[in-house]
Amino acid sequence: MTETLIKRTAVHATFCIERTLDASPARVFKAFADPKAKALWFGGDETWARGDAQMDFRVGGRERNTGQHGQVTHTFDALYWDIIPDERIIYSYEMHLDGRKISVSQTTVELRPAGSGTKLTFTEQGVFLDGFDDPKVREDGTRELMDALQASLKVAA
């Protein structure tokens, strides 16, 4: 499809996912902050071919991950805006498919003690571009990532 034939659209959506995880806020925070811990859950299941992963986890730092699903290369390119250890992470990110920008999002991850575990609240506010991405698909994919996060915390215990 040539650029002149693309119908330009911007669909805005917000979703919030809450989970109670059987791990301390410090362990959950580490799963987001430490590149080795994050690699255990972020990047897709066994049907994905993982590509390049770079992470500079600090305010003003960037993270970039690529992976291939089928013949399509997916790229996650993030900028960290706010980090409070064991409590909050705020970042914005772009998603690309084969180099085409499909969405831009603002994400807030909040961690609160919940008994011996952690209540995680994941809120994403996104704009999905030109019909190449869909808010429901993104939310479903994020729920799968949260399932993988939860499983990684059990393995890393």
Side-chain angles (χ1 to χ4, degrees):
M1 183 180 318
T2 66
E3 291 296 317
T4 56
L5 298 178
I6 296 172
K7 181 176 182 204
R8 299 295 180 186
T9 60
V11 175
H12 299 265
T14 299
F15 62 86
C16 183
I17 299 170
E18 293 183 340
R19 297 281 173 96
T20 300
L21 305 171
D22 190 23
S24 69
R27 280 194 52 231
V28 176
F29 183 83
K30 181 180 178 183
F32 281 89
D34 179 83
K36 288 181 183 175
K38 191 166 187 179
L40 295 174
W41 65 272
F42 190 84
D45 62 22
E46 65 277 350
T47 64
W48 285 77
R50 292 187 185 212
D52 184 40
Q54 302 168 8
M55 182 183 222
D56 180 12
F57 189 79
R58 62 180 175 84
V59 173
R62 293 194 161 278
E63 178 177 357
R64 182 178 175 89
N65 284 285
T66 62
Q68 201 163 23
H69 192 255
Q71 298 298 314
V72 179
T73 299
H74 297 245
T75 303
F76 168 88
D77 192 4
L79 173 63
Y80 290 99
W81 292 98
D82 185 56
I83 298 171
I84 299 174
D86 307 340
E87 293 183 31
R88 183 174 68 214
I89 305 164
I90 300 174
Y91 60 94
S92 57
Y93 73 97
E94 298 176 339
M95 283 295 297
H96 294 84
L97 292 180
D98 287 336
R100 180 186 307 276
K101 188 182 305 185
I102 63 168
S103 67
V104 179
S105 296
Q106 177 77 27
T107 302
T108 304
V109 178
E110 297 171 276
L111 308 173
R112 299 285 179 258
S116 62
T118 301
K119 180 182 179 187
L120 176 143
T121 304
F122 185 103
T123 305
E124 183 164 325
Q125 300 162 295
V127 57
F128 302 88
L129 304 171
D130 304 331
F132 293 107
D133 201 358
D134 173 283
K136 173 82 169 100
V137 170
R138 178 65 55 83
E139 182 175 352
D140 290 346
T142 303
R143 287 184 187 285
E144 290 174 8
L145 282 174
M146 295 299 102
D147 292 344
L149 167 63
Q150 196 162 21
S152 79
L153 292 168
K154 290 177 183 174
V155 171

